[in-house]
């Protein structure tokens, strides 16, 4: 293949993962990003077990290398706070020893984690990585290739296959892929960094607070290295508009007045501004490919509708995108019909989990039902484990197909 046969737009987790898998398979690619790394990205910063296993698929040594870095904290579970105030602690492993075991998850600022992946990219001669390159326009030529143009109209590249991983605001995903912003399948979020938050879990459990008068939104507190914490809120864009919610005001109010939070934030210091971002959710199945292109990660609207997690899904899509790029070149077939195999591969891996998360998201409209599930999970190992598995790399598809699973749920076993 010529050097510009495959071009990846965006060097976040999805694009970087695709590039690294292509390199592992011996394929060259062009990787473009408008930023210069390291660069920040507004996010919750949690790295689930699915992220760790995707790292392992890139290189067996990568999880241990990440775990040895001071840029991350090992995380051992999740604390859910139901609308009735009930705390449901869900460890990622039923029994663990934080002093000796390998953690299932981590928390790391995106400026650091994304650069961790980029350092791997820089090591690979198969990847032509170019930073500070802003692709302003894209046009498809009569022969099916994509022509990429810069801000001044200069030609940046002409490529046979385009892997689009340039995030939630991707104009390509909107204009070519047809991913319009749908308020019922989109989340508005805010994030701020704090220092000095008290009461964080000693084993760095991430916290999800479902506060009754803020539903169907939620508030998170994720511990970070150096005594910092990532604190934010998310709510369906549809609900924000309908309820006329001012997210910045509500975040400040809840941190300083809610009984479960006010003492913990009494002396905390906010570091920098509160920053907003949009999350295109995977609560609706959308096309992920077309003539000569694949959509990855946030550009493919693959974010978990309940937890807001997007990093692992971006990496899953990056792995499958590299696979199908290789298949397309082997077959010399870049038609929409052929590339739909990529859609099938991604949704075969993620759709059951996305549907389960969509169901959990709907519980937020019914506080009494959410309370019931939280109370039930506290005494139901099967349900608690299922919630935990949503954040791990344990494939729920087989479990959800077995009648015995539902019997255990009903019997509380």
């Amino acid at each position: 293949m010529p050097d510009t046969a495959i071009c990846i737009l965006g060097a976040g987790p999805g694009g970087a993962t695709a590039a690294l898998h292509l390199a592992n398979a011996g394929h060259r690619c062009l990787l473009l990003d408008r930023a210069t790394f390291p660069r920040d990205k507004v996010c919750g910063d949690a790295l689930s077990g699915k992220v760790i296993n995707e790292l392992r698929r890139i290189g067996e040594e990568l999880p241990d290398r990440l775990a040895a870095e001071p840029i991350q904290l090992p995380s051992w579970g999740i604390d859910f706070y139901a609308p009735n105030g009930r705390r449901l602690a869900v460890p990622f492993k039923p029994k663990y020893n934080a002093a000796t075991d390998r953690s299932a998850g981590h928390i790391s600022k995106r400026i650091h984690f994304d650069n961790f992946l980029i350092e791997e990219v820089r090591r690979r001669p198969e990847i032509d990585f170019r930073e500070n390159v802003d692709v302003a326009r894209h046009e498809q030529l009569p022969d099916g290739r994509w022509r990429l143009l810069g801000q001044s109209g200069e030609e940046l590249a002409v490529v046979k296959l385009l892997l689009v991983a340039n995030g939630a605001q991707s104009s390509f995903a909107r204009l070519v892929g047809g991913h319009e912003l749908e308020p019922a399948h989109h989340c508005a979020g805010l994030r701020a960094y704090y220092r000095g938050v008290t009461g964080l879990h000693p084993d760095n459990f991430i916290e999800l607070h479902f506060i009754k008068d803020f539903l169907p939104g939620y508030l998170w507190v994720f511990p970070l290295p150096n005594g910092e914490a990532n604190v934010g809120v998310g709510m369906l864009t549809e609900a924000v508009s309908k309820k006329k919610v001012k997210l910045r005001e509500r975040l400040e109010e809840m941190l300083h007045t809610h009984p479960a939070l006010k003492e913990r934030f009494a002396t905390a210091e906010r570091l920098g501004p509160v920053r907003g971002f949009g999350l295109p959710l995977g609560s609706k199945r959308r096309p992920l490919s077309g003539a000569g292109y694949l959509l990855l990660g946030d550009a493919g609207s693959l974010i978990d509708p309940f937890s807001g997690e997007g990093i692992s899904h971006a990496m899953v899509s990056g792995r499958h995108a590299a696979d199908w790029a290789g298949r397309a070149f082997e077959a010399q077939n870049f038609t929409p019909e052929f590339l739909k195999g990529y859609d099938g591969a991604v949704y075969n891996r993620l759709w059951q989990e996305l549907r389960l998360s969509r169901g959990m998201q709907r519980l937020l409209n019914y506080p009494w039902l959410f309370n019931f599930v939280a109370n039930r999970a506290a005494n139901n190992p099967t349900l608690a484990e299922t919630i935990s598995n949503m954040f791990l790399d344990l494939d729920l598809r087989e479990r959800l197909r077995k009648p015995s699973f539902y019997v255990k749920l009903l019997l509380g076993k």
Side-chain angles (χ1 to χ4, degrees), residues 38-278:
R39 61 95 177 95
D40 195 15
K41 174 74 183 292
V42 184
C43 179
D45 296 337
L47 308 176
S48 71
K50 288 185 281 190
V51 171
I52 305 310
N53 274 346
E54 288 304 320
L55 282 176
R56 187 172 292 109
R57 287 180 171 98
I58 296 170
E60 189 66 31
E61 77 290 352
L62 286 186
D64 287 340
R65 191 183 300 171
L66 176 67
E69 292 277 355
I71 63 172
Q72 59 76 42
L73 280 184
S75 178
W76 295 93
I78 307 168
D79 275 336
F80 291 94
Y81 290 83
N84 61 4
R86 178 73 179 259
R87 171 177 165 266
L88 174 64
V90 183
F92 291 139
K93 297 179 180 179
K95 295 180 181 179
Y96 68 89
N97 184 329
T100 59
D101 292 349
R102 176 186 286 177
S103 67
H106 299 264
I107 312 153
S108 175
K109 289 183 178 181
R110 286 292 298 277
I111 189 172
H112 300 310
F113 177 71
D114 287 15
N115 199 57
F116 173 81
L117 286 175
I118 289 300
E119 289 305 312
E120 293 301 310
V121 165
R122 295 187 198 278
R123 293 186 177 98
R124 304 304 300 263
E126 304 92 339
I127 304 171
D128 182 1
F129 176 43
R130 303 182 193 177
E131 303 168 90
N132 198 29
V133 176
D134 193 359
V135 177
R137 287 195 299 123
H138 30 70
E139 56 186 43
Q140 196 160 30
L141 301 175
D143 63 3
R145 292 181 302 162
W146 288 97
R147 185 167 178 251
L148 307 180
L149 303 170
Q151 290 287 354
S152 303
E154 73 277 18
E155 184 176 285
L156 300 174
V158 176
V159 301
K160 277 193 173 183
L161 184 61
L162 200 55
L163 275 55
V164 182
N166 54 0
Q169 308 303 320
S170 171
S171 62
F172 189 102
R174 186 177 70 256
L175 298 173
V176 181
H179 287 223
E180 293 292 341
L181 191 156
E182 298 183 50
H185 302 281
H186 187 273
C187 183
L190 297 177
R191 179 268 276 159
Y193 288 127
Y194 280 81
R195 179 185 291 126
V197 179
T198 61
L200 296 172
H201 196 286
D203 293 335
N204 304 320
F205 278 36
I206 65 174
E207 301 176 25
L208 296 176
H209 295 259
F210 300 93
I211 296 168
K212 185 174 181 180
D213 63 359
F214 189 63
L215 296 176
Y218 63 98
L219 181 148
W220 69 80
V221 181
F222 296 171
L224 283 165
N226 304 314
E228 297 182 17
N230 182 315
V231 181
V233 290
M235 181 180 283
L236 271 180
T237 302
E238 181 181 62
V240 172
S241 177
K242 184 178 179 180
K243 296 173 178 283
K244 296 181 172 56
V245 179
K246 297 180 179 178
L247 288 179
R248 291 176 188 270
E249 293 180 10
R250 287 307 317 273
L251 173 61
E252 190 75 13
E253 176 193 335
M254 288 186 291
L255 294 181
H256 293 99
T257 64
H258 192 272
L261 297 167
K262 63 180 183 180
E263 295 300 324
R264 300 176 58 193
F265 281 84
T267 58
E269 173 193 5
R270 196 181 78 203
L271 307 173
V274 178
R275 297 182 60 189
F277 59 118

